[in-house]
Amino acid sequence: MFFALLLVTFLVALAVCWVVARLFTKSIGSILDRLVADELSSAWHRYVVFAIYVVGISKGVRLYDLERYVLPRMKDEVIPVLTPERWTLEVYRTIIETLQGVAWMLLLFFLVALIAYVIVRGLDRRRERDLAPSAGPRAD
């Protein structure tokens, strides 16, 4: 039963990550296209999608919590039984934990991207100002 639970939580976390990656792929790509050179943008995009999967699966499949089903117990310790209610709870926890992990990762990504956007925009304005002809007094 433990291996089935491990496999199910892994597959659920993988599916949730796939959905989130599909939902955010366009916005991540747009942000990276604006901030990073074209040659690097696609590589960074693949890395961010990979990070979505790694963070989501590692947060969703809670190995520490699943260990309680297989580790030796103390004499008076109650062994949890995998009832249908427990399965539902574990799957629900997997979905929520996966979404939480990916949400924090994407929040961090978007915050860093926002800071980078402000810096790039400031540099662009400075470059435009330096290249523009000076608007000094004209002699007519």
Side-chain angles (χ1 to χ4, degrees):
M1 231 13 170
F2 167 76
F3 293 112
L5 180 61
L6 182 62
L7 181 64
V8 166
T9 56
F10 177 80
L11 292 175
V12 167
L14 184 67
V16 170
C17 290
W18 182 80
V19 169
V20 171
R22 295 277 307 206
L23 287 173
F24 284 94
T25 192
K26 188 175 179 179
S27 58
I28 291 169
S30 298
I31 289 169
L32 290 173
D33 287 342
R34 172 70 174 113
L35 295 177
V36 183
D38 291 338
E39 303 84 35
L40 295 175
S41 177
S42 64
W44 275 100
H45 186 264
R46 280 193 306 271
Y47 175 75
V48 171
V49 171
F50 173 72
I52 288 173
Y53 281 97
V54 169
V55 169
I57 291 171
S58 67
K59 286 289 288 177
V61 181
R62 300 164 331 279
L63 292 178
Y64 179 75
D65 290 341
L66 296 177
E67 283 177 350
R68 66 180 175 221
Y69 296 110
V70 293
L71 289 179
R73 315 262 184 294
M74 301 298 276
K75 191 176 190 180
D76 297 333
E77 193 175 356
V78 178
I79 300 171
V81 179
L82 286 172
T83 62
E85 293 82 11
R86 175 70 69 180
W87 273 88
T88 303
L89 184 63
E90 291 294 338
V91 169
Y92 179 75
R93 279 185 188 156
T94 299
I95 294 168
I96 295 301
E97 292 287 329
T98 302
L99 288 172
Q100 276 184 334
V102 172
W104 279 110
M105 191 223 73
L106 287 175
L107 177 65
L108 181 65
F109 168 76
F110 286 122
L111 285 175
V112 170
L114 179 63
I115 293 168
Y117 178 77
V118 169
I119 292 170
V120 167
R121 184 129 168 137
L123 292 174
D124 286 347
R125 285 187 178 178
R126 181 183 230 174
R127 192 176 315 123
E128 287 173 6
R129 190 176 53 229
D130 291 346
L131 293 177
S134 62
R138 290 194 298 174
D140 287 319

